[in-house]
Amino acid sequence: MQTARHRTSQRRKPDMEPTVPSPAEKQPAETSPVKESLAPDRGLQTGDYLTTGQGVRLPDTDHSLKAGPRGPALIEDFHLREKITHFDHERIPERVVHARGSGAYGTFTAYGNAASVTKAGFLAEKGRETDVFVRFSTVLGSRGSADTVRDVRGFAVKFYTAEGNFDLVGNNMPVFFIQDAIKFPDIIHAAKWHPDREIPQAQTAHDTFWDFVSLHTEATHHVFWAMSDRGIPRSFRTMEGFGVHTFRLVDAAGKTSLVKFHWKPAAGVHSQVWEETQLTAGVDPDFHRRDLADSIDAGLFYEYELGIQVMPDDADESFEGIDLLDPTKIVPEELAPVQPIGKLVLNRNPDNFHAETEQIAFHIGNLVPGIEVTNDPLLQGRLFSYLDTQLSRLGGPNFNQLPINRPHAPVNDNQRDGMHQSVVHRGIAHYLPNSLAGSEGPVPAGPENGGYVHLPEPVRGDKVRANPVSFADHHTQAALFYRSLSPLEQDHVAEAFTFELSKCYEQAIRVRMLGVLANVDAELTAKVAAGLGLPVPEGKPVADVTPSPALTQITERAWPVTGRVVGVIGTPDKQTAALQKALKAHGVVVRVIAPVGGEGVERTFQTARSVEFDAIMVAAATTDMQMTVLLQEAFRHGKAIAVHGEGEQTLINAGIDVKAPGILFDPDPETIVAALGRHRVWERMPLLKPRASSAGA
Ligand code: HDE
């Protein structure tokens, strides 16, 4: 299922630096040939001869040194020992959460309007461009797990600003399972595999997760997001991102506001359907990673707008009755609109997964002047965790020297030594105050020189282990979310709860979770209970809420179709070439699916699966079983199916109702684009045979 593609468009030229050099590397060029080994392009290793790590040239790397061709290996074989030892240590510990991730470089351009709320130059200065690296991830799975599992997605952005690095380490859901960081090990232990057998991998459909969240009702709102279509995005291109916590912005005059950060994808928010995600996990476990890398290679860049919701920095840190320090709550966009303040374009693939995507180290405490944290207790604990985790993951305190982590601002931190020190520092006065460095500095910078001066906020309180009373409502916003969804999305939520709870072994857990749902929404509880074959419990469902239309994904709007994929069943000919050309103008990728391989064929009947395509065109008659399955899946998953010539017979052979919505006869390219822009043929979905559980509800 791999796409063989030539990656040329964004490849870095050999003479370009692999990453931004540190200030140390920007010293005047050294003349000594010895220093060549330290040149920025040393990562290319394109020298004439193979060497050991010590630079000794090697005559043979295929045979170990032995006492005769049939004899034992000799311990004096320094090349064998060095080669194997390095190999043995090639892996670093995977992240304890968010282990599975994919990254890309990009550029953030500020619109300038944020100057009214923050002095952070990369947001406030109109047109200022800032380099970024973004890492998308799943939370629960191991490094090698599948991309399309039901999970929260990480959306972590490192801005290499002129004032230092700022990391916005967010997720694709705006709330979190817990209100206090001290519960993080509990939720993660419960959600990850069971420790006895290390199963299940990368999923929450098991006893310990539902045991925990049914006992710990502050998770309820987040669980609703995870069970919704947000948990199974179509691609990283079609996800929103959220900073989750409320941050405090400070403008040039020192005035503060409370804000929530949002990433809005230019392509809109779109998801897979559940059966599709499961198939994709087998057909192409790298589905999201591949889409990101292939899209960038093809020049079909991912784009997002950064937006902020701005709330007054009042003493009670609340807005419209919502406690802004509670990370299980959103502020509906209808109450505080998301104001776009800049644009992000992801336009360059990393060259080396390990060096860049794996070694990047995010930290929510990487802040720049103009952006401050709040006392959200989840955020406060994270301030400790990220730095701490890098010490064991990246092996010591010098991970900031790794090229991917180096700030693009000058670093003068007086830090010295430590494991993996890669800078040869000079001078003796690496302490302050000193009289030996002369007038060279570094000296502390006040606010007038861009120093990060924390807001002088008064702090007082009793030492307690307690939450504010305002954190106690765990159900209202879950109902707000659920009731803001379209009926189809609500069905998906009901089906997801039913699926996951069905996978638990303990009946008591199912019953307890139904009890939680009963305190949110009666109709949903009835649907899930029916699916589980359990009685509907009594509860106190949330009374009327004002829905937030911004939360639904299914709208009338047609979104840009950049990067969408159309599969054409037929053989490459003039017609497919013309279609390819017309759709390419919209950024759509067309792949021909033919009985056998050949020029212009990207998939054969044997290798193609429906999940790889957003729409299908059938331009040939066939009774091939694999194509029958492909078309039935595409039909079931609500994908547009275009029909040309003898293609109609193929659909009839596959038992597909050719009069159903979204079967497009001889459509022009614009009609296909319009269908792709709506993501799915939503009108068809309710006509499909409902599941017994939904039917019974
Ligand atoms: Fe994280 N989280 N987290 N998290 N998180 C990590 O840091 C942690 C939380 C998020 O692509 C770890 O470098 C605690 C919320 C992302 O490299 C670790 C708590 C949100 C990533 C850690 C949270 C996130 C991480 C693991 C509870 C959304 C991946 C490896 C207070 C706003 C970053 C690492 C990447 C990674 C701790 C909760 C987002 C262990 C203690 C809430 C996107 O430090």
Side-chain angles (χ1 to χ4, degrees), residues 148-150 232-233 272-282 611:
T148 60
V149 296
R150 180 180 293 285
I232 48 175
Q272 292 194 305
V273 294
W274 179 233
E275 185 191 40
E276 201 184 4
T277 66
Q278 292 177 298
L279 291 172
T280 315
V611 294

Side-chain angles (χ1 to χ4, degrees), residues 56-68:
V56 175
R57 289 182 186 175
L58 287 164
D60 177 349
T61 191
D62 296 331
H63 302 93
S64 16
L65 191 68
K66 291 180 299 197

Side-chain angles (χ1 to χ4, degrees), residues 95 98 135 169-171 181 184 362 378 382 385-386 389-390:
R95 290 163 171 81
H98 297 266
R135 185 173 178 275
V169 197
N171 280 343
F184 197 56
F362 290 97
L378 189 67
R382 293 179 74 198
S385 181
Y386 289 73
T389 207
Q390 313 309 350

Side-chain angles (χ1 to χ4, degrees), residues 305-568:
E305 267 188 327
L306 181 63
I308 45 174
Q309 288 180 292
V310 183
M311 280 80 58
D313 191 0
D314 293 340
D316 63 356
E317 297 169 311
S318 293
F319 182 73
E320 301 276 345
I322 301 161
D323 191 330
L324 296 174
L325 298 194
D326 178 353
T328 67
K329 304 287 187 315
I330 61 163
V331 175
E333 292 186 28
E334 292 73 16
L335 299 181
V338 176
Q339 305 171 41
I341 58 168
K343 184 175 172 178
L344 171 65
V345 179
L346 299 183
N347 51 18
R348 180 155 72 86
N349 280 316
D351 285 322
N352 184 280
F353 188 91
H354 180 84
E356 296 160 285
T357 310
E358 191 62 7
Q359 293 200 131
I360 192 160
F362 290 97
H363 177 23
I364 186 155
N366 287 348
L367 299 161
V368 292
I371 307 178
E372 301 234 352
V373 297
T374 58
N375 291 335
D376 170 346
L378 189 67
L379 190 165
Q380 292 282 317
R382 293 179 74 198
L383 287 170
F384 168 73
S385 181
Y386 289 73
L387 200 51
D388 178 55
T389 207
Q390 313 309 350
L391 294 178
S392 60
R393 203 169 67 77
L394 297 168
N398 288 318
F399 58 86
N400 283 345
Q401 294 177 5
L402 292 168
I404 191 67
N405 294 324
R406 285 183 206 159
H408 293 194
V411 173
N412 300 293
D413 60 1
N414 276 348
Q415 306 281 18
R416 295 292 184 271
D417 308 344
M419 297 270 274
H420 313 303
Q421 177 59 254
S422 61
V423 180
V424 182
H425 291 110
R426 278 165 279 195
I428 56 170
H430 52 272
Y431 54 87
L432 278 177
N434 76 70
S435 66
L436 300 178
S439 58
E440 303 273 292
V443 294
E448 67 289 358
N449 289 317
Y452 189 105
V453 181
H454 293 260
L455 270 179
E457 277 184 291
V459 178
R460 81 153 297 281
D462 298 337
K463 246 187 254 175
V464 289
R465 291 187 185 275
N467 273 345
V469 180
S470 54
F471 279 31
D473 175 3
H474 301 160
H475 302 107
T476 305
Q477 284 217 342
L480 164 74
F481 174 69
Y482 180 70
R483 292 177 197 164
S484 301
L485 301 179
S486 64
L488 203 55
E489 289 167 288
Q490 290 183 339
D491 280 350
H492 292 168
V493 172
E495 285 174 9
F497 273 116
T498 311
F499 177 93
E500 300 243 333
L501 290 168
S502 302
K503 293 280 195 153
C504 294
Y505 289 89
E506 298 289 336
Q507 184 78 314
I509 293 174
R510 291 191 197 111
V511 171
R512 194 164 58 228
M513 193 60 212
L514 273 182
V516 176
L517 297 185
N519 288 332
V520 178
D521 189 89
E523 190 193 286
L524 169 74
T525 312
K527 279 189 192 172
V528 179
L532 295 172
L534 286 170
V536 183
E538 287 282 315
K540 285 191 190 150
V542 172
D544 283 349
V545 288
T546 310
S548 164
L551 296 174
T552 177
Q553 292 181 217
I554 302 180
T555 63
E556 287 302 314
R557 186 168 164 188
W559 294 90
V561 293
T562 314
R564 293 310 185 109
V565 186
V566 176
V568 181

